[in-house]
Amino acid sequence: MKNRLRVLRAEHDLTQAELAAKLNVTRQTVIAIESGKYDPSLPLAFAIARTFNQTIEDIFLPET
């Protein structure tokens, strides 16, 4: 699954560690999601969407 997490994080001037702290996950989790190696759980996807005031669909895009 593709995502816009890296772009949104940069737009909000957040480091991976700062975003991880906001989401209560490890920095490695943020890295894995950004690189597409890990798809977040639904609760984590909702938390990410709330953090950036976006919908899940605006952040996570299905591979076509």
Side-chain angles (χ1 to χ4, degrees):
M1 176 181 317
K2 292 182 179 182
N3 68 72
R4 298 182 49 242
L5 189 55
R6 184 174 287 138
V7 171
L8 290 169
R9 186 174 55 75
E11 287 175 355
H12 288 81
D13 199 29
L14 291 170
T15 65
Q16 290 171 333
E18 290 168 337
L19 178 58
K22 285 180 178 279
L23 299 172
N24 200 29
V25 298
T26 65
R27 182 174 160 266
Q28 287 76 17
T29 299
V30 172
I31 292 167
I33 294 169
E34 283 186 355
S35 66
K37 293 181 181 177
Y38 172 74
D39 291 334
S41 65
L42 194 53
L44 180 53
F46 273 109
I48 293 167
R50 277 192 306 271
T51 299
F52 294 111
N53 198 28
Q54 304 266 326
T55 65
I56 290 174
E57 294 86 358
D58 289 336
I59 300 172
F60 297 97
L61 312 164
E63 299 270 352
T64 56

